[in-house]
Amino acid sequence: MKYAVIGTGAIGGYYGGRLAHSGQEVHFLAHSDYEEMRSQGLQVDSCLGSFIIENPRAYRSTSEMPVVDVVFVALKTVNNHLLPEMLKPIVGPDTIVVLIQNGIGVEEDLQAQMPGLQIATGLGFICSTKIGPAHISHQDYGALTLANYSVKDDNRVGQVATDLEQAGVATDILPYDFARWRKAIWNLPFNGLTVALNTDTLSLVNSEEGYALLKNIMMEVIALANAAGVESLNVEHALSNLEATRSMLPYAPSMKVDWDHHRPMEIYYLYTKALQKADALGVKAPYLEMLEKQLRYLERHRR
């Protein structure tokens, strides 16, 4: 299949790079990295084996790109208002759009803007950072979970999974609601707390106070998931996330990287949308509510 990547950063650059390295046709939206990608290629330093995509198919705008079979969207969600115009030139009637993004409700909102769009979810379990123009550093993990949100034919999501597996990316396919909420168990506590407490994942999980905060937020996310109908998530998922993080290298999640580089944080889809759902479902989430307010205060009074 023919692929496109919108958002050639830490996540899109890694997964798109893996596909291109395996021989798939991948078209990259480069924006500010266009010149470097054209002159130096796309470099991926990976714990699983480094590589360079020489002469990648790079573009400044989607208006220059062809219609493709699959679009990987790895933009930060603060830019999702741009997606309808960005997608129109490269999406045909059978194109699948895979949102590899953090948070709750991203598919729902894009579907409302583009009702006929076929959407799938991509949830990366990966430690990856963009360390320079067209230069990705992949430090740990790397699996990708896919979930069908509104794709008409499940087999087409399966083909994407097969292509990723052949590219060296461990891939599974799970039901949409379960997959989204399971990822939120890790995303919501670690992204916000590393910003609010100015720390990394390992320091946070290895401290008594940090561990308690993480677990309390995870249990609120699980309660919210249960109320939303995902009853199979429980305390064991919280504990396994905490223990898995202890085995990771010290890591700055994407929100911490954005904060450190004075970029807008993904507060809306990671926290505000979750709290809106909690309110609608009658679920109390005081830790999440406080964390969202702390992050909004920090962003509003950034120095």
Side-chain angles (χ1 to χ4, degrees):
M1 292 194 291
K2 188 184 297 184
Y3 288 84
V5 174
I6 295 179
T8 309
I11 303 302
Y14 177 74
Y15 291 123
R18 282 281 175 202
L19 285 168
H21 186 59
S22 72
Q24 295 289 341
E25 181 178 333
V26 184
H27 300 262
F28 296 93
L29 181 65
H31 282 317
S32 60
D33 291 0
Y34 175 80
E35 296 296 341
E36 287 82 2
M37 285 189 72
R38 296 290 292 176
S39 62
Q40 303 169 21
L42 174 62
Q43 182 175 345
V44 179
D45 301 337
S46 173
C47 59
L48 301 178
S50 301
F51 58 90
I52 297 177
I53 306 300
E54 297 181 353
N55 302 312
R57 296 176 173 91
Y59 306 82
R60 297 181 189 274
S61 168
T62 56
S63 64
E64 303 167 355
M65 299 168 69
V67 173
V68 297
D69 300 299
V70 182
V71 182
F72 282 176
V73 174
L75 287 178
K76 294 299 176 69
T77 55
V78 295
N79 296 311
N80 273 21
H81 62 285
L82 302 173
L83 275 179
E85 287 303 313
M86 296 176 76
L87 288 170
K88 284 178 184 176
I90 60 176
V91 167
D94 296 320
T95 302
I96 299 172
V97 175
V98 182
L99 299 180
I100 310 178
Q101 296 184 306
N102 289 329
I104 300 296
V106 288
E107 295 83 8
E108 179 184 4
D109 286 356
L110 181 60
Q111 195 78 80
Q113 293 175 290
M114 303 181 74
L117 196 64
Q118 297 191 64
I119 302 174
T121 298
L123 301 166
F125 293 83
I126 183 171
C127 299
S128 184
T129 307
K130 181 179 175 182
I131 58 175
H135 192 178
I136 311 302
S137 173
H138 167 227
Q139 302 106 34
D140 211 346
Y141 294 95
L144 187 69
T145 290
L146 298 177
N148 189 348
Y149 184 78
S150 62
V151 178
K152 297 172 186 176
D153 183 356
D154 284 333
N155 292 325
R156 301 200 64 226
V157 179
Q159 183 58 59
V160 176
T162 298
D163 288 350
L164 285 163
E165 286 279 356
Q166 291 176 349
V169 177
T171 309
D172 61 353
I173 301 175
L174 294 174
Y176 168 75
D177 288 325
F178 176 84
R180 264 289 171 208
W181 284 109
R182 186 184 70 162
K183 180 67 185 295
I185 293 171
W186 192 95
N187 257 343
L188 271 62
F190 278 102
N191 270 283
L193 284 176
T194 52
V195 173
L197 300 179
N198 190 30
T199 188
D200 60 57
T201 54
L202 191 59
S203 298
L204 191 59
V205 77
N206 277 342
S207 72
E208 180 181 351
E209 300 83 0
Y211 188 96
L213 284 169
L214 290 165
K215 186 179 177 183
N216 285 331
I217 294 172
M218 286 181 176
M219 294 310 299
E220 288 187 353
V221 174
I222 289 168
L224 182 49
N226 294 163
V230 186
E231 297 177 358
S232 56
L233 293 174
N234 54 48
V235 65
E236 294 304 320
H237 291 89
L239 296 176
S240 64
N241 270 278
L242 290 164
E243 291 311 307
T245 306
R246 275 187 166 147
S247 70
M248 287 166 45
L249 296 172
Y251 181 63
S254 60
M255 182 172 280
K256 182 65 162 65
V257 174
D258 288 338
W259 169 256
D260 289 344
H261 288 82
H262 297 272
R263 296 191 293 255
M265 294 186 289
E266 298 180 286
I267 300 171
Y268 180 72
Y269 279 109
L270 272 169
Y271 298 98
T272 308
K273 288 284 281 189
L275 288 168
Q276 288 173 354
K277 290 189 179 292
D279 186 59
L281 293 167
V283 176
K284 300 295 184 183
Y287 283 93
L288 276 173
E289 186 175 353
M290 178 172 285
L291 184 54
E292 189 231 21
K293 285 182 168 55
Q294 287 175 307
L295 294 170
R296 290 204 176 278
Y297 177 88
L298 288 170
E299 187 154 74
R300 189 170 292 116
H301 299 278
R302 182 193 296 269
R303 294 177 181 175

